[in-house]
Structure formats: C-alpha cells, structure tokens
Amino acid sequence: PSSPTWAATMTEPMSPARRRFQKARRVVVKVGTSVVTREDGTIALGRLASLVEQIAELVDSGKQVALVASGAIGIGQARLMEQAMLSRSIRSALHMDGYNETQLAGTITDAALIGAREVNMLASAPSRAAAGQGGLMGLYDTLFSQYGITCGQVLVTERDFSSDARRRRVRSTLEVMLQVGTVPVINENDVLSVPDRRKLFSDNDSLAVLVATELKSDVLMLGSDVPGIFRGPPEPGQPPDVLPVVTRSTPLSFGAKSARGRGGMQAKVDAALTALERGVSAVVIFSGFEPLGVLRILKGEALGTLLLTDSEAKLEMAALQAAKPAAPLPPRAPPEPPDDPAALAAAVAAREASRALQKLSHAERGAVLHACADALEAGFESIAKANGADVHAARASSMSAASAARLLLPLQKLRGVTAGLRAIASQPDPLWRTRRHVELAPGLVLKQETVPIGVVLVIFESRPDVVPQVAALAIASGNGLLLKGGKEASRTNAVLHSILASTVERATQGRVKGSLLGLVESRAQIGALLKLHGAIDLVIPRGSNAMVQHIMASTRIPTLGHADGVCHMYVDEKADPAKAERLMIDSKCDYPAACNALETLLLHEATVSSGLASRLCAAARDQGVALHGGPRACQILINERLPPCADLHTEYGELAMTVEVVSSLEEAVAHIHTYGSSHTEVVVTEDAATAELFLASVDAANVFHNASSRFADGYRFGLGAEVGISTSRIHARGPVGVEGLLTTRNRLVSTVSHTVGDFSAGRASYSHKNLAAR
C-alpha cells in the first residue's frame, strides 16, 4: 500500500525520468561523511534521524531500501581524539605532585592537545574506522528500532565483489534482508581494506554503484553536502545554479573535494554514470541536508541533478521545456527528531523499563501499586509543603480562581487518589487476556490478546493528582509513561514523581527502573517529544481547549482526549422538580472547574409556564452561579433578566452557566449536537420513553438519565482512576482507564508447520472455528 504522507500525485507536468521514481520499488541511498557528521566529526543526529524516518516510511509503504553509509572514519577520529585527550590529561595529572593549580591546569591542557595531535598524526584509517563503526551502527539500530524496523550491518571489501561466487553471496544476503523488510546498512570494511589495492571501488560512491547494480535497483540516490552539480561556481550571496540533467558528454569541472570523506563530486558523477551504464534505471545526486529530500525525489520533485544516458537526456530536456514550471510543494515542517536528545533518551528509557515491567506477574504489579499508595500517604508532609508553595504562587499571579482550585491537593483528596491506586491493584489482570480464539485449520490456532500500547505521553495542566492516577494506570497496564504538567504545579508534580519513581524501583528490587515514569520539566521539550512518533505511541492532552487543540495540531502521534467539556442538562416537561434542582446544583457546583461540570441548562418551554424554570434559576443563583441566557431564554425568561451569553459553546470552568429554552426533545438534541463537545449529556425526566430516545439519539461519550454529569469520571465508573476522558470515536471513549491503554496482538501457533501454499494448492482447508476465550 502507498503511504499517504508522501505518495501523492504531482499536479504539475513531470519529466518522464522523474515520473518513473514514483513507481520505484527498490532504492539504494548513499549518504556521505559530510551528511552524517558535523564539522567536528561528531554525529549530525538531526540529519541522521530524519534520514532514518524517511527510509522507515518507505519501508512501511512496501519499498525495499538499502543504505550505503559513510562516516565511520570521521566519527572514529573524533572519538579517538577525545579518548587521547582524556588519557593524556589523566596521566599528566598523576605525575604532578608539587605543582600549583595554575601549573597543573596548563600542563593538563598541553597534554590534552598533545594527545589530540598524536591521533591526527598516528591514527590510521583502519583504527579510526574500528573506533567509529560500532557507535555509528548502534545509533542506526536505535533509530530504526523506534519505527519497528530492523537494520543489519553489512561490511564489505573488494574481495566480496572479486568473483561471481562472492558477488552472488553478497547479493543473496542483501536480497534476503530486503525481502523481509530489513534495511541493510552497507559500508566498506575500512579495518580490513587495503587502499592501494582497490580496483573495483575507491569510495562509498562507487561501492553504492556496485550495490545498486547487484540489486538491480530502480533508483540510486547519492547524498552530498551540496544540492547537485553546479553549472559554474556560485556567485557570492547568490544561490547556486544546479544543472537539472547531466550526461557523459556534459562538460564539467570540479573544485576540491570535501575535507571529510574520500570522495567528492567528481567521484559521485563518475560513479553515477557508471551505474547507468551497468543497468541502474536512474541516478540522482542531491543534498543530504534537504528536508525530506529522499521522499520528495521519489515523489518526482525536481531536487538535485538527474544523471541520464545521452539518449534519455534528449527526451528529458524536451519534456522539461514543454512542461510548465512546477508549483512549490505546500509548506511542511521538516522532521527534526530529536531536537532534544534528552527527550528521545527519556522515551527510550521508559520503553525499556516498560518491557521489564511486563515481565512481572499481576500480583507483583499490584504490590507495586500498593507500595506507591503507601509511599504517597507517608510522604504527605513533603507533598503538602510543595503544593502550598504552588498554590501561593498561583494566587499571587493573575491565575483564575477556577484554575487555582485545580491545584489544591489536600489530604482528603490524596486519600481518594491512593484509594484509587489500591482499587486498580485489585482489578483483574488486563494483560495477555484472550479477546479472540480461533482455529484457522486443524493444528493452526490464532489468539488475539491484550498487550500494552507502549510509551504514553500525558500533557496536563494544573491538577497534580493526575500524576499518581496516570502513573498507576501505566503500571497496571504495563506501559511506559512520560508526564508533562503545567508550571503552576511544578513543585507538587516533582515531589509526587520522585516518590512514585523511587517506589517503583524499590518495590521491584531494581528489576524495573524508575525511568518507567518520566517527568518532563521543561516546556521547551514538549515540541521535541511531539516529534518522536517512533518512540512515543500515544499522546493524551488534558487541559484547556487551546492547549489540547495545539497538541493535536503539532504531532503525528495518535492523540486521545477531548478539547473541551461543554456539558448539557436537558430538563424535560415531565421532570421531577426536586430531582432537577438537586441534579443541576450537583452537576454545576460540586466542582465547577472539572471538565464534566454542567455548562448549559436546556429547559423545555413547558417548564417556563410551570414555574420550574424560575425555580432552577433561583436555586442556581443561591449557590453563587452567574447565569447567561441563550437567545430564546433572554426573550422568554424576561423576569430572570439574563445577560446574553457570548457563545452557546462555552466552557466556563467556574460558577457560571448558560440557560436556554427549547420546544422539544428533538430541538434539545439538535442544540447539543450543534453546540456540545460530545463529552457528557444529561436528561432529567420521569418519562421512560423520552429518556430512552434521548440516550439513543445523543452522540456523546457519556449520556445519563437522572444522574449528575459529575459521574463521568474513571474512579466513579469503577476504573480506579482515569488517564483522561476521550470524546474520540476511535479506540476508547469516555473515562479512559486501564483498558484504554491497551491494544492487541495476534499469536498464531502451528503444530505441523502450515504454509499458505498448502491452502492455495488444496492440500489443506480452513475451518475458522471459534474456540472459547480463556
């Protein structure tokens, strides 16, 4: 299947050669040292991560990609210099008894510089490659694993291409890797190669040609530190004039090659033209610094220089002259993972810890939750001190009363939280439960079972009680967790996190690291985390409409949550007045800042004449609720003198509420669908048919009859706690507890080594018999 991210159709005319790129199935990408490293020889992590992401997207779309990667010698040089400087400095320090501080510092610095010069003079290419290859490959492995893709290192020398038999062995190895979706990362084995004896390839550009030729690649892409082949030296301050097409007969002259790496543009051009002559369909030289360059080229965008045979070039140039200028692609922010290496490290650490957590039994995970509840209660004094400082700072600022109320974490509230943790511990094990159990054929049995989602990022505002609640759900469901709270609760969040993380490690005797629960303290890290769609599996934003909408618009990671909570209560003409009053007051006044608090009171027009409407308005005002009228309410409830509401879709989050009048149940449902947020909707009536019609008609996560909207809560639903309330129609809806943090996997077991070919040939037949789930 095509990937929707990049396999779009160009709207402007495209040259024939470029059009073929869209159908390419097998691609060889070569990136040079100047692309994967910085000037100082260290890894250019952002560019490398972007390259890996693009290749992962291609593999996911069904393409086969081989990567020819340079950089080991450059990285090894930097690592050897660092080690030499460190070793020299240590040795010098150990032999300086009697030196004063100034002499000691100067001598150590001199020793470090001497160590660096020694590496420059003495370190051979093999030693540099040996020092750099492991680190480079380890990084590729880590980055690809974030996308669920395996990569494999393939180190070759000229000898591997010196005979038909050896080439067949290389080709067979690469073919197998590509067929199973593995990305071969190919490089010359500089530790064993003898430079003076090279004949078949002199650098990784020519190695890429050999690889592309053996694999019969559809496209060979040679990444460089310039955007292509220039028509001439660029004028100062002017963009370079890149040749769109080059052939063997194109007159070219080149300057000095890159200071890092063995090749250069001359080597790339020679390699590219050789590839064409050996049967590779197309070759492009492009800038490895270009955002999404690999994907854009394969979509047909005219990036870089296309190298063709002379006959193909004539057709290409004719097509280019006939085509209209291509419109620029819509703006798209280039991927920048990881802008913050610490963010990626935290996500990776949480995943590793979650895998250790999944090895614990249900009883062991329950014991961890009980230990966390005990530790929170024992640490209340330190929690209260931090919470008091947060609340004091909030009241001294311009924070609204509703937001400040969310910050409070008194002992009673904390005890409710710890009761929730213990309740979660007592629930049945959510992991490895069989959802579907089917015999596909005799001896071939399929089980669909529940498993953790992976790593969950929860971003929330104000409420510090979110930290232990969400942590408990993560522990119960076997997930890793990253938490980012608002700065207004930073002190409380830090104390809660410290207690929980240390308790996890202590209660498991170190088998599960405290990094299972990560706390993000810098707001600047949020942007970096939202780009880690290979390292983070789910984002749950909890907070204001603006915050939630911003998070949803800023990430490709699946999100779960609700943007706002505009909850309605429809009081029917057959409502019991006393019940309606109790339910309205509880829904609005129990905790006005909650997302499940009542925001709009819908009154059937019959309640106006019966006096119930005035009774409810008076009861609300007695509780300090400010009332705002909808258009009809302002006209009909004249005696209430309701100020017009600014917007019928308003989440007040405080003691304020909209009142509106409707003529029927159908009109109430239409109003809710127009101005609601699909959160929680309540009908108050004694008529069973009316109630059932309301519950069946309203499209919301929670629909209640004669019950307070405040019941829309994970703890009250018996979930122990909630990670949030979802108004999504996919995966989970309503209060999200442990079940919402699970997904499924399929386990297929054959007792006789079944193959699809047996069924295609009629030697076996499907039974598809449902078995009892266990």
Side-chain angles (χ1 to χ4, degrees):
S2 297
S3 166
T5 307
W6 66 272
T9 302
M10 297 287 286
T11 58
E12 294 292 328
M14 190 187 307
S15 68
R18 295 275 183 180
R19 187 177 293 111
R20 291 203 301 266
F21 292 2
Q22 295 180 334
K23 298 180 179 180
R25 178 173 176 271
R26 179 168 288 181
V27 180
V28 173
V29 179
K30 183 268 175 184
V31 288
T33 302
S34 58
V35 174
V36 301
T37 62
R38 298 187 179 93
E39 290 289 342
D40 60 1
T42 57
I43 295 173
L45 196 56
R47 290 197 293 270
L48 204 61
S50 175
L51 174 67
V52 168
E53 182 183 29
Q54 293 176 74
I55 292 175
E57 194 166 336
L58 292 175
V59 173
D60 285 342
S61 73
K63 297 187 185 297
Q64 298 175 352
V65 185
L67 175 63
V68 179
S70 301
I73 291 178
I75 294 168
Q77 167 81 357
R79 297 180 77 177
L80 287 174
M81 287 181 66
E82 180 181 357
Q83 185 62 42
M85 293 169 70
L86 178 62
S87 298
R88 272 276 187 174
S89 298
I90 293 173
R91 289 200 302 271
S92 297
L94 292 175
H95 294 86
M96 290 186 192
D97 293 337
Y99 277 53
N100 61 36
E101 287 186 5
T102 303
Q103 291 171 321
L104 182 62
T107 306
I108 290 175
T109 301
D110 291 342
L113 294 174
I114 292 169
R117 287 197 295 268
E118 284 180 351
V119 170
N120 276 325
M121 291 187 295
L122 301 177
S124 62
S127 62
R128 295 172 185 175
Q133 192 65 52
L136 182 61
M137 191 59 207
L139 183 57
Y140 276 121
D141 185 65
T142 298
L143 292 172
F144 274 113
S145 68
Q146 305 310 310
Y147 302 91
I149 291 175
T150 300
C151 66
Q153 184 177 37
V154 181
L155 293 176
V156 297
T157 65
E158 277 223 342
R159 191 181 180 200
D160 294 302
F161 297 92
S162 61
S163 68
D164 291 341
R166 292 181 184 278
R167 285 198 301 274
R168 279 196 302 271
R169 185 167 62 184
V170 172
R171 184 168 60 248
S172 175
T173 299
L174 298 177
E175 287 279 359
V176 169
M177 296 174 75
L178 293 172
Q179 291 292 343
V180 299
T182 295
V183 176
V185 180
I186 307 157
N187 196 358
E188 182 182 6
N189 190 341
D190 291 298
V191 178
L192 300 179
S193 292
V194 182
D196 294 338
R197 298 181 183 178
R198 289 193 185 103
K199 294 181 180 178
L200 296 176
F201 62 90
S202 58
D203 53 33
N204 274 351
D205 292 308
S206 46
L207 172 59
V209 169
L210 287 175
V211 172
T213 302
E214 292 297 328
L215 293 177
K216 295 181 172 58
S217 171
D218 298 312
V219 181
L220 169 61
M221 306 172 73
L222 301 176
S224 178
D225 55 0
V226 293
I229 302 174
F230 299 166
R231 196 179 302 274
E235 295 292 332
Q238 297 297 318
D241 185 5
V242 177
L243 288 167
V245 176
V246 163
T247 71
R248 180 71 76 178
S249 60
T250 304
L252 299 170
S253 62
F254 300 96
K257 73 177 187 66
S258 170
R260 292 173 287 156
R262 294 196 305 266
M265 189 55 70
Q266 180 71 63
K268 285 179 175 56
V269 172
D270 291 340
L273 295 172
T274 300
L276 293 170
E277 292 163 359
R278 292 180 179 178
V280 175
S281 300
V283 183
V284 176
I285 295 175
F286 73 108
S287 171
F289 298 84
E290 188 71 34
L292 299 174
V294 172
L295 296 182
R296 290 163 63 189
I297 288 170
L298 289 178
K299 192 166 63 175
E301 186 174 344
L303 288 181
T305 297
L306 179 63
L307 290 102
L308 299 172
T309 63
D310 286 321
S311 58
E312 287 180 321
K314 292 178 181 178
L315 297 173
E316 178 74 7
M317 293 307 295
L320 286 172
Q321 291 172 1
K324 294 188 294 183
L329 286 177
R332 174 178 173 181
E336 300 173 1
D339 283 349
D340 187 338
L344 176 60
V348 171
R351 188 179 300 278
E352 291 175 353
S354 73
R355 288 170 177 161
L357 175 68
Q358 292 160 26
K359 295 177 182 178
L360 301 185
S361 67
H362 177 232
E364 288 173 320
R365 279 182 276 122
V368 173
L369 289 173
H370 280 289
C372 287
D374 294 342
L376 288 170
E377 290 174 351
F380 176 71
E381 184 176 342
S382 60
I383 295 170
K385 182 178 179 180
N387 189 238
D390 283 333
V391 173
H392 176 76
R395 288 172 175 165
S397 69
S398 58
M399 181 178 289
S400 68
S403 296
R406 293 189 180 99
L407 284 176
L408 291 170
L409 187 56
L411 181 58
Q412 181 181 359
K413 191 172 185 179
L414 182 68
R415 284 175 175 165
V417 170
T418 57
L421 266 63
R422 295 184 177 105
I424 293 171
S426 67
Q427 293 175 356
D429 191 356
L431 296 180
W432 329 124
R433 294 204 317 269
T434 301
R435 291 275 183 87
R436 184 168 177 258
H437 197 189
V438 180
E439 177 194 85
L440 303 185
L444 185 62
V445 176
L446 174 70
K447 277 188 179 182
Q448 186 186 67
E449 59 187 12
T450 57
V451 295
I453 284 179
V455 175
V456 180
L457 169 62
V458 179
I459 304 172
F460 59 99
E461 294 176 335
S462 299
R463 291 178 49 187
D465 55 314
V466 169
V467 175
Q469 290 178 351
V470 175
L473 294 172
I475 293 168
S477 59
N479 286 289
L481 178 66
L482 298 176
L483 290 158
K484 175 61 181 82
K487 64 179 182 180
E488 63 277 4
S490 58
R491 301 172 185 85
T492 314
N493 291 340
V495 172
L496 291 169
H497 171 261
S498 176
I499 292 172
L500 293 168
S502 60
T503 302
V504 167
E505 194 153 343
R506 184 179 65 254
T508 61
Q509 297 180 327
R511 286 182 291 170
V512 181
K513 300 300 182 184
S515 56
L516 174 78
L517 310 174
L519 180 66
V520 180
E521 300 187 79
S522 167
R523 184 173 184 178
Q525 282 188 301
I526 295 178
L529 287 165
L530 292 176
K531 294 173 183 175
L532 299 179
H533 52 271
I536 296 173
D537 304 293
L538 180 67
V539 176
I540 301 178
R542 297 180 54 162
S544 66
N545 179 287
M547 186 273 273
V548 174
Q549 293 288 3
H550 173 73
I551 296 299
M552 289 180 172
S554 302
T555 184
R556 292 170 54 191
I557 306 171
T559 58
L560 187 69
H562 66 279
D564 45 17
V566 182
C567 303
H568 296 75
M569 179 177 287
Y570 167 59
V571 181
D572 183 56
E573 59 182 327
K574 295 182 179 179
D576 180 289
K579 288 182 182 178
E581 183 177 328
R582 288 183 65 242
L583 293 172
M584 178 198 68
I585 291 173
D586 187 77
S587 295
K588 179 71 256 186
C589 303
D590 177 67
Y591 186 15
C595 63
N596 57 12
L598 177 62
E599 302 294 1
T600 298
L601 181 67
L602 291 177
L603 301 171
H604 190 283
E605 60 185 11
T607 65
V608 177
S609 57
S610 70
L612 178 55
S614 294
R615 172 178 173 173
L616 294 176
C617 289
R621 284 176 169 144
D622 287 345
Q623 297 295 320
V625 179
L627 300 180
H628 305 270
R632 290 195 65 194
C634 288
Q635 292 177 353
I636 297 174
L637 298 173
I638 299 175
N639 293 336
E640 300 302 327
R641 302 189 179 191
L642 299 171
C645 64
D647 190 337
L648 287 170
H649 179 94
T650 299
E651 181 179 13
Y652 294 96
E654 56 188 4
L655 287 174
M657 180 172 65
T658 297
V659 179
E660 181 59 310
V661 176
V662 294
S663 59
S664 64
L665 168 68
E666 291 74 18
E667 188 177 330
V669 172
H671 179 102
I672 289 170
H673 287 165
T674 302
Y675 300 108
S677 59
S678 300
H679 194 294
T680 300
E681 313 298 351
V682 180
V683 60
V684 182
T685 184
E686 296 303 301
D687 185 270
T690 298
E692 183 56 37
L693 183 58
F694 180 93
L695 298 178
S697 302
V698 172
D699 181 9
N702 307 288
V703 287
F704 297 168
H705 173 213
N706 286 353
S708 169
S709 63
R710 292 280 291 126
F711 278 107
D713 174 82
Y715 179 72
R716 299 185 181 104
F717 275 17
L719 304 178
E722 68 182 30
V723 74
I725 294 181
S726 171
T727 55
S728 170
R729 290 167 176 78
I730 298 174
H731 184 67
R733 203 174 190 199
V736 180
V738 170
E739 293 289 333
L741 297 181
L742 300 175
T743 184
T744 60
R745 70 177 178 188
N746 297 299
R747 179 183 293 192
L748 184 64
V749 177
S750 172
T751 59
V752 294
S753 303
H754 287 84
T755 66
V756 172
D758 292 335
F759 292 87
S760 300
R763 293 187 295 272
S765 59
Y766 294 104
S767 58
H768 289 153
K769 182 166 65 178
N770 288 324
L771 305 175
R774 292 180 298 191

